[in-house]
């Protein structure tokens, strides 16, 4: 099934394949193997051109928005298939991501969390009622992975501003969601144990060079 994926990001993610030259971010995330794979395939150009300018923020927000809507669609598909066990954690992460990266840097993150939480609840409720929801296209899967890349880069860049416990908690939640995505997209049912980092993941600095 992995061979059917045409987009490199999705194909490499499903094969657990990383580029030959691992990024420092990927090495920092070894304790979260699924995230390490995502980080290991971030294009070097993307890392080198990452800035905190308003223009860049808006460009990356568009990617986060596509990611959020992709994750909502994934949640609806899970609900339609009766895979309820992943839905609460997925909803929590969507709300976290929406609050972490609101449309405007000065916007109220709580409002963003409420908005996307409500969107998720509606899509999941509709899927349960109708018993169906479309499976994500490969393009939407790629959008999710691009958004998760943005989240990981930004988390790494703010490690000095974020409480270590909150940092590890966010990464553990993201690892659990990413592992769930890989499992669902592979169509293989298996036990999934959430990853809980046993120590600081991104503490100690980060360089993308």
């Amino acid at each position: 099934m992995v061979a059917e994926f045409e987009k490199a990001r999705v194909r490499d993610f499903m094969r657990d394949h990383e580029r030959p030259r691992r990024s420092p971010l990927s090495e920092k995330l070894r304790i979260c193997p699924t995230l390490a794979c995502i980080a290991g395939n971030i294009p070097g150009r993307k890392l080198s051109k990452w800035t905190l300018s308003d223009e860049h923020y808006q460009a990356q927000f568009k990617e986060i928005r596509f990611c959020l809507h992709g994750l909502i669609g994934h949640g609806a598909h899970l609900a339609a298939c009766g895979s309820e066990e992943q839905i609460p954690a997925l909803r929590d992460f969507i709300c976290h991501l929406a609050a972490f990266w609101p449309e405007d840097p000065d916007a109220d993150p709580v409002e963003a969390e409420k908005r996307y939480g409500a969107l998720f609840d509606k899509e999941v409720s509709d899927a349960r009622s109708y018993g169906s929801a479309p499976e994500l296209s490969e393009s939407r899967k790629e959008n999710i992975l691009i958004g998760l890349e943005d989240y990981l880069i930004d988390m790494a860049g703010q490690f000095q501003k974020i409480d270590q416990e909150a940092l590890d908690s966010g990464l553990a939640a993201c690892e659990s969601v990413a592992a769930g995505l890989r499992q669902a997209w592979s169509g293989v049912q298996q036990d999934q144990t959430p990853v809980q980092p046993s120590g600081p993941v991104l503490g100690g600095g980060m360089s993308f060079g």
Side-chain angles (χ1 to χ4, degrees):
M1 180 174 293
V2 174
E4 296 177 4
F5 292 109
E6 297 181 356
K7 294 185 178 296
R9 269 189 177 90
V10 181
R11 184 175 61 249
D12 289 343
F13 174 68
M14 294 304 296
R15 290 178 174 173
D16 195 21
H17 171 77
E18 296 182 41
R19 297 166 185 260
R21 183 177 181 273
R22 290 175 176 172
S23 69
L25 178 55
S26 174
E27 293 297 337
K28 286 278 188 177
L29 290 167
R30 286 296 116 193
I31 198 171
C32 299
T34 319
L35 299 187
C37 177
I38 293 174
N41 290 309
I42 298 175
R45 180 180 176 85
K46 179 174 183 176
L47 290 171
S48 65
K49 291 187 174 297
W50 193 269
T51 69
L52 298 178
S53 66
D54 290 343
E55 181 180 359
H56 181 81
Y57 185 95
Q58 289 302 319
Q60 304 316 126
F61 171 75
K62 291 181 180 179
E63 294 181 349
I64 293 294
R65 182 177 60 192
F66 284 135
C67 174
L68 286 167
H69 283 282
L71 289 171
I72 290 171
H74 175 67
H77 184 68
L78 289 177
C81 295
S83 301
E84 296 286 334
E85 66 280 355
Q86 296 182 35
I87 290 177
L90 178 61
R91 184 189 190 280
D92 287 346
F93 180 73
I94 288 171
C95 291
H96 165 73
L97 182 57
F100 184 82
W101 208 313
E103 184 169 359
D104 185 278
D106 298 322
D108 183 358
V110 175
E111 290 302 316
E113 181 178 344
K114 289 180 179 178
R115 177 189 174 195
Y116 280 94
L119 287 173
F120 181 86
D121 291 342
K122 182 181 185 306
E123 291 294 323
V124 167
S125 178
D126 288 347
R128 287 169 176 155
S129 297
Y130 296 111
S132 65
E135 185 176 357
L136 295 184
S137 66
E138 191 170 340
S139 292
R140 295 190 75 188
K141 292 175 181 178
E142 183 181 48
N143 288 339
I144 290 175
L145 296 177
I146 290 172
L148 295 183
E149 290 174 3
D150 294 346
Y151 175 72
L152 294 176
I153 297 171
D154 206 57
M155 285 280 276
Q158 297 189 50
F159 76 93
Q160 291 180 322
K161 303 177 183 178
I162 302 174
D163 175 79
Q164 186 66 52
E165 183 177 353
L167 181 64
D168 290 343
S169 176
L171 289 171
C174 189
E175 168 68 19
S176 181
V177 167
L181 291 171
R182 181 182 281 165
Q183 176 184 332
W185 297 351
S186 70
V188 177
Q189 296 299 317
Q190 57 188 27
D191 292 335
Q192 180 183 332
T193 303
V195 171
Q196 296 295 333
S198 57
V201 178
L202 293 175
M206 179 60 58
S207 170
F208 298 133

